[in-house]
Amino acid sequence: MTVDLSHAPTATTHVASIYNSAVAAWAVSAAWELGALDALYEARTLDAEEFAVTHGLDPAGTTGMFRALSAVGLVERIGARVTANDAFDAVYHNKSFFHWLSIGSAELFREMPSVLRNENRKGDYYRRDAAAIAYACREIDHVTYAPTFWSALDRVDFDVTHVADLGCGSGGRLMDLMRHFPGARGIGVDIAPPSIEVAKQEVAANGLAPRTEFFVGDVLRLERRPEFDEVELLTCFMMGHDFWPRENCIATLRRLREVFPKAKRFLIGDATRTALPDTQLPVFTLGFELGHDLMGTFIPTIENWESVFAAGGWDLVRTNRIEMTVGEVIFELA
Amino acid sequence: MTVDLSHAPTATTHVASIYNSAVAAWAVSAAWELGALDALYEARTLDAEEFAVTHGLDPAGTTGMFRALSAVGLVERIGARVTANDAFDAVYHNKSFFHWLSIGSAELFREMPSVLRNENRKGDYYRRDAAAIAYACREIDHVTYAPTFWSALDRVDFDVTHVADLGCGSGGRLMDLMRHFPGARGIGVDIAPPSIEVAKQEVAANGLAPRTEFFVGDVLRLERRPEFDEVELLTCFMMGHDFWPRENCIATLRRLREVFPKAKRFLIGDATRTALPDTQLPVFTLGFELGHDLMGTFIPTIENWESVFAAGGWDLVRTNRIEMTVGEVIFELA
């Protein structure tokens, strides 16, 4: 049994399904953080009250969380017994996008009435949960960019002795790169000192500290330094839109060309703006694009990007269109 | 054109519609606060960019807000031109329930993972936006309780010289009562001093100050005082569930019987817990019940209520089942 959508609903039930979906989006995100999605994905069925007891959770609220999933057909529920179905598997695959929206970006969307007013759009005019967004983005990266990223690395046809990841966050990608190129030294650059601290700990825990260096710095205003001189491979994921608008993007690309004089390959992976009809938008796109409109962040199209590389001093070797949700693309530059 | 639901969607498009509904719920709430829902309801069509300019809003974000409504079939959009349809009228009628969820209660739902953990459920373990909830509840009251409330007042068959509203908030109901009984003195009781301040201002602005008194106090622990002695009509809306659990509720009903010795009629209006199948839940119920589970607030059923009145010292004259969304009911006690 799933929600009956086999006949056109009345306007009232349509609106109720929109409302219940909003509640369910929070339930999906919470159930992921609490381990309930993983438990149900593996076992296919569980007892909500038992899950609450073994995980130290409030029983009524936990049953209510599963009820929210059931209300929009994401699970089937009979009393406390909850069972996964096809829709559950689809939402399980997309759970990180729900979390990005409902937990990481909830404050931004909640404050939409004030955020939209021009008079308020200056300074730190919105808030998001940076730790929650980092939590979601690790998995977003895994389900969207990872396979294409590894293929792009396989096409690197020169020796790599030094790699640098720009906007390295907590260092996951940098460690992936250093495992892929076992002899290479790694450099991570990020604007957020707390992220760098986490990255240093992770790198140390994985025994990679001796061949890694981190720098706190703004990728958009990077200065040349000796450590950067030897880097042959440069990566930058999920922050390329910050390079824009156009003139700034060209200037940043040029500066990176100078700051990393030996870079032979530059992989830029990011979301791009789509042009789908409103009623055909997949998971993530609507939230991602409206969220960035609220934050006043320009999101370029693939065509916007392809028009700046030459002026920025880079040759476009290959455009990998992933376009799973928000027009994800990886550009391979040389 | 609305969203095509005439054939069973694949799991992926089903999950996308849930995701987009979550974004749209925020857009509905913001559009209401910004006056966009009212403008569209009256004019049936508007230009999103023009609306942004005349209201001092960011144009891209404003178009994005309407795009979110369009993504789930609540409006039709061609470029900046937005047109209302049947689903829009249904959501317009239900806008206050969306606002209660997406703005007023967003922090509670966002923090569901931590709020559900038993170890965190003590003290002030959750946050909501009290001002936003008051904003939504004014309209929730209007669309749910108001008609039944007026009918119940018409059945008052004795002279009313003094009325009291318990949990009076910003005083709207008290002013309604004093207009309905033009000679009567009015008493408002609320636990929140800021609400009482607003109520005093409203009452003064409406020329009702000379025959009104307010008291800051906890309805659950009210003490007898001379001003309460003459009250014949008592009302208490949208807070009766705070009387519970059962033993506390009986004690509170008894105490109110003593504190208001001349009360001949007591109208209690509140939501009650429903027992609908998960997939048939109307707007509000799922959010209201999960929200109160998260807050650890017991919501009684109508049967729970009907089992305490006699023990609490009151006769049940009539049960008015409204049951529009969350089992709304008005009990007439004597």
Side-chain angles (χ1 to χ4, degrees):
Chain A
M1 205 257 351
T2 57
V3 170
D4 182 10
L5 292 167
S6 60
H7 55 86
T10 66
T12 302
T13 60
H14 180 54
V15 166
S17 85
I18 293 170
Y19 190 92
N20 293 339
S21 295
V23 180
W26 269 307
V28 167
S29 308
W32 180 30
E33 261 195 55
L34 294 169
L37 289 193
D38 290 316
L40 190 52
Y41 187 73
E42 296 191 7
R44 311 308 296 168
T45 182
L46 60 73
D47 183 287
E49 284 168 20
E50 206 175 282
F51 185 87
V53 170
T54 54
H55 290 74
L57 306 178
D58 176 66
T62 303
T63 300
M65 178 179 77
F66 284 110
R67 183 192 191 208
L69 301 181
S70 169
V72 296
L74 292 176
V75 298
E76 290 153 40
R77 184 177 79 94
I78 300 169
R81 174 59 49 189
V82 179
T83 306
N85 59 18
D86 285 356
F88 177 81
D89 291 344
V91 87
Y92 183 80
H93 184 70
N94 286 291
K95 58 192 182 296
S96 53
F97 303 115
F98 280 86
H99 195 280
W100 179 95
L101 176 72
S102 301
I103 297 188
S105 304
E107 293 192 76
L108 172 68
F109 283 94
R110 178 172 75 86
E111 297 184 332
M112 198 186 310
S114 113
V115 162
L116 278 179
R117 290 185 206 276
N118 289 327
E119 66 201 34
N120 299 331
R121 296 174 69 83
K122 47 184 94 83
D124 294 331
Y125 69 90
Y126 63 84
R127 291 173 295 168
R128 294 165 90 201
D129 181 337
I133 288 178
Y135 178 87
C137 281
R138 260 195 298 276
E139 172 149 329
I140 289 176
D141 178 57
H142 179 72
V143 297
T144 54
Y145 298 101
T148 309
F149 174 65
W150 294 114
S151 303
L153 286 188
D154 287 340
R155 283 187 290 275
V156 169
D157 52 2
F158 49 85
D159 282 347
V160 175
T161 66
H162 292 77
V163 299
D165 186 40
L166 307 178
C168 66
S170 52
R173 183 175 312 280
L174 187 62
M175 290 191 288
D176 287 344
L177 285 164
M178 292 170 71
R179 291 193 191 99
H180 190 80
F181 301 107
R185 292 191 63 81
I187 292 173
V189 178
D190 202 282
I191 200 170
S195 295
I196 295 279
E197 280 315 303
V198 174
K200 281 182 177 170
Q201 289 164 21
E202 298 263 327
V203 159
N206 285 276
L208 295 169
R211 53 186 179 107
T212 316
E213 278 173 294
F214 287 101
F215 299 96
V216 175
D218 182 352
V219 173
L220 308 182
R221 285 168 194 79
L222 220 51
E223 306 265 317
R224 204 163 162 178
R225 57 191 310 156
E227 294 87 347
F228 296 164
D229 279 354
E230 305 302 318
V231 171
E232 298 107 354
L233 174 62
L234 207 55
T235 60
C236 181
F237 274 70
M238 293 196 258
M239 70 156 287
H241 55 275
D242 291 332
F243 292 8
W244 290 75
R246 180 180 175 84
E247 286 314 307
N248 301 27
C249 184
I250 291 171
T252 295
L253 289 170
R254 280 195 188 143
R255 190 176 305 112
L256 293 174
R257 181 70 282 177
E258 288 161 18
V259 171
F260 298 95
K262 291 199 189 153
K264 293 183 190 163
R265 187 65 44 95
F266 183 10
L267 304 181
I268 299 179
D270 206 5
T272 59
R273 193 169 287 267
T274 58
L276 286 170
D278 292 353
T279 53
Q280 291 172 29
L281 295 167
V283 161
F284 202 30
T285 305
L286 183 68
F288 180 84
E289 294 189 3
L290 177 54
H292 284 83
D293 283 339
L294 294 177
M295 296 186 283
T297 307
F298 179 81
I299 301 289
T301 63
I302 290 179
E303 293 65 37
N304 290 150
W305 272 112
E306 289 181 337
S307 75
V308 295
F309 295 131
W314 297 86
D315 293 330
L316 175 61
V317 177
R318 181 180 167 122
T319 297
N320 304 282
R321 290 172 183 262
I322 305 168
E323 297 183 326
M324 183 172 295
T325 56
V326 290
E328 295 88 350
V329 62
I330 297 179
F331 297 109
E332 298 179 44
L333 309 180
Chain B
M1 205 263 343
T2 58
V3 171
D4 182 10
L5 292 168
S6 60
H7 55 85
T10 67
T12 302
T13 59
H14 180 54
V15 167
S17 86
I18 293 170
Y19 190 92
N20 292 340
S21 294
V23 180
W26 270 308
V28 167
S29 307
W32 180 29
E33 260 195 55
L34 295 168
L37 289 193
D38 289 315
L40 190 52
Y41 187 72
E42 296 191 6
R44 311 309 295 170
T45 182
L46 60 73
D47 183 288
E49 285 168 19
E50 207 174 283
F51 185 87
V53 170
T54 54
H55 290 74
L57 307 177
D58 177 67
T62 303
T63 301
M65 177 178 77
F66 285 110
R67 183 192 190 208
L69 302 181
S70 170
V72 296
L74 292 176
V75 299
E76 289 152 39
R77 185 177 79 94
I78 300 170
R81 175 58 51 187
V82 179
T83 306
N85 59 20
D86 285 355
F88 176 82
D89 290 344
V91 86
Y92 183 79
H93 184 70
N94 287 291
K95 57 192 182 296
S96 52
F97 303 115
F98 280 86
H99 195 279
W100 179 96
L101 176 73
S102 302
I103 297 188
S105 305
E107 292 193 77
L108 172 67
F109 283 94
R110 178 173 74 85
E111 297 184 331
M112 198 186 310
S114 113
V115 162
L116 278 179
R117 290 185 207 276
N118 289 327
E119 67 200 34
N120 299 333
R121 295 173 71 83
K122 47 183 94 85
D124 293 330
Y125 69 91
Y126 63 84
R127 291 174 296 168
R128 294 165 90 201
D129 181 337
I133 288 179
Y135 178 87
C137 281
R138 261 194 299 276
E139 174 150 328
I140 289 176
D141 177 58
H142 179 71
V143 298
T144 55
Y145 298 101
T148 308
F149 174 65
W150 293 115
S151 302
L153 287 188
D154 286 340
R155 284 188 289 274
V156 169
D157 52 4
F158 49 86
D159 280 347
V160 175
T161 65
H162 292 77
V163 298
D165 187 39
L166 306 178
C168 67
S170 52
R173 184 174 313 279
L174 187 63
M175 289 191 287
D176 286 345
L177 285 164
M178 293 170 69
R179 290 192 193 99
H180 191 80
F181 301 106
R185 292 192 63 81
I187 292 174
V189 179
D190 203 282
I191 199 169
S195 294
I196 295 280
E197 279 315 302
V198 175
K200 282 183 178 170
Q201 289 164 22
E202 298 263 326
V203 158
N206 285 276
L208 295 169
R211 52 187 181 106
T212 315
E213 277 172 295
F214 288 100
F215 299 95
V216 174
D218 182 352
V219 173
L220 307 183
R221 285 168 193 80
L222 220 50
E223 306 266 317
R224 205 165 162 176
R225 58 190 311 156
E227 294 87 347
F228 296 164
D229 279 352
E230 305 302 317
V231 170
E232 299 106 354
L233 175 62
L234 208 53
T235 59
C236 181
F237 274 71
M238 292 195 261
M239 71 156 288
H241 55 274
D242 290 332
F243 292 10
W244 290 74
R246 181 180 175 84
E247 286 314 307
N248 301 28
C249 184
I250 291 171
T252 296
L253 289 170
R254 279 192 189 147
R255 191 176 306 111
L256 292 175
R257 180 70 283 179
E258 288 160 18
V259 171
F260 297 95
K262 291 199 188 154
K264 294 185 190 163
R265 188 64 46 93
F266 184 9
L267 304 181
I268 298 179
D270 206 4
T272 58
R273 193 169 288 267
T274 58
L276 286 170
D278 293 353
T279 53
Q280 291 173 29
L281 294 168
V283 160
F284 202 29
T285 305
L286 182 69
F288 180 83
E289 295 190 1
L290 178 53
H292 284 83
D293 284 338
L294 294 177
M295 294 185 284
T297 307
F298 180 81
I299 301 288
T301 63
I302 288 179
E303 292 66 36
N304 290 150
W305 272 112
E306 290 183 339
S307 76
V308 295
F309 294 132
W314 297 88
D315 293 331
L316 175 61
V317 177
R318 180 180 169 123
T319 297
N320 303 283
R321 290 171 183 262
I322 304 168
E323 296 184 326
M324 185 174 292
T325 57
V326 289
E328 295 88 349
V329 62
I330 298 180
F331 297 109
E332 298 180 45
L333 309 181

